């Protein structure tokens, strides 16, 4: 019974004419200081901070974009370093296993041991190729970063 009364109140409240609310995104209403603004200007809603000029906002956005680019490059460098360390670790483990097999005199090796030697050599070769590709890719990224920094310095030194 209580919920029926609440429902009636909600329905009657929704039937009353609403005052139009001023909206901008999720902002219900913006409070303005009336110092020096005409009535028409008070009706304009803005989330922008009035203490910053458009040029200052653009400069700040350019700085943020540059910082974002630097962070993305740094993340890329760190990922490269992690991949490189893992590849080196894998290569060293395979080399150690290969050294153990090579230490066995050829006459005493089983067919399985000889096959394993060949497999290890192939795996090491593939990992070395993968690492070489990774190093080349990192060098391309480094040069691209350097070119970007030079372009940035030229652009913002004018």
């Amino acid at each position: 019974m209580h919920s029926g009364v609440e429902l009636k109140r909600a329905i009657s409240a929704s039937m009353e004419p609403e005052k139009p609310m001023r909206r901008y995104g999720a902002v219900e209403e913006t409070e303005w200081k009336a110092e020096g603004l005409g009535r028409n200007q008070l009706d304009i809603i803005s989330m922008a901070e009035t203490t910053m000029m458009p040029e200052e906002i653009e400069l700040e956005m350019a700085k943020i974009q540059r910082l974002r680019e630097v962070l993305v490059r740094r993340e890329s460098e760190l990922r490269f370093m992690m991949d490189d360390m893992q590849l080196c670790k894998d290569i060293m483990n395979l080399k150690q296993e290969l050294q153990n097999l090579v230490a066995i005199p050829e006459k005493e090796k089983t067919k399985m041991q000889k096959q394993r030697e060949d497999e290890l050599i192939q795996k090491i070769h593939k990992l070395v190729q993968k690492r070489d590709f990774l190093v080349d890719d990192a060098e391309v990224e480094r040069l691209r970063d350097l070119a970007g920094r030079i372009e940035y310095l030229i652009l913002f030194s004018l």
Side-chain angles (χ1 to χ4, degrees):
M1 181 137 183
H2 228 277
S3 63
V5 172
E6 290 174 17
L7 180 60
K8 287 180 183 177
R9 283 185 188 157
I11 291 172
S12 67
S14 67
M15 300 296 267
E16 293 175 14
E18 290 184 20
K19 288 194 290 185
M21 293 196 74
R22 297 182 291 174
R23 294 179 177 254
Y24 186 87
V27 178
E28 296 292 327
E29 193 170 339
T30 303
E31 296 293 326
W32 287 90
K33 293 180 183 171
E35 49 192 62
L37 297 176
R39 180 66 199 145
N40 290 340
Q41 289 172 321
L42 284 175
D43 290 337
I44 297 172
I45 309 246
S46 173
M47 290 175 51
E49 195 178 305
T50 58
T51 59
M52 290 183 78
M53 299 300 294
E55 296 81 19
E56 293 173 316
I57 293 171
E58 288 175 10
L59 184 61
E60 178 112 8
M61 288 177 67
K63 287 178 185 178
I64 291 170
Q65 179 62 33
R66 180 70 180 140
L67 180 59
R68 182 182 308 139
E69 291 168 3
V70 168
L71 290 173
V72 166
R73 271 194 294 280
R74 183 63 181 151
E75 179 187 18
S76 179
E77 289 171 4
L78 292 172
R79 289 185 189 282
F80 160 76
M81 290 167 49
M82 288 175 53
D83 291 346
D84 185 51
M85 288 189 304
Q86 185 61 49
L87 283 171
C88 288
K89 181 180 173 184
D90 293 346
I91 290 169
M92 292 306 295
N93 289 338
L94 293 174
K95 280 185 174 182
Q96 182 62 48
E97 187 179 345
L98 182 61
Q99 284 177 347
N100 292 341
L101 288 173
V102 170
I104 301 171
E106 200 63 36
K107 294 178 189 174
E108 298 175 19
K109 287 182 189 171
T110 65
K111 186 176 181 181
M112 291 287 287
Q113 288 172 322
K114 290 179 183 180
Q115 282 180 329
R116 183 64 182 154
E117 268 186 26
D118 291 338
E119 287 173 17
L120 289 171
I121 291 170
Q122 288 174 5
K123 284 183 178 182
I124 291 169
H125 181 70
K126 284 182 181 178
L127 288 177
V128 168
Q129 284 180 326
K130 188 175 182 178
R131 185 174 182 276
D132 287 346
F133 176 78
L134 197 63
V135 169
D136 289 345
D137 192 42
E139 181 64 13
V140 168
E141 284 298 316
R142 187 187 70 76
L143 292 173
R144 192 176 294 148
D145 176 46
L146 182 61
R149 288 178 191 208
I150 291 170
E151 181 181 347
Y152 177 81
L153 289 173
I154 291 171
L155 220 62
F156 287 101
S157 67
L158 297 176

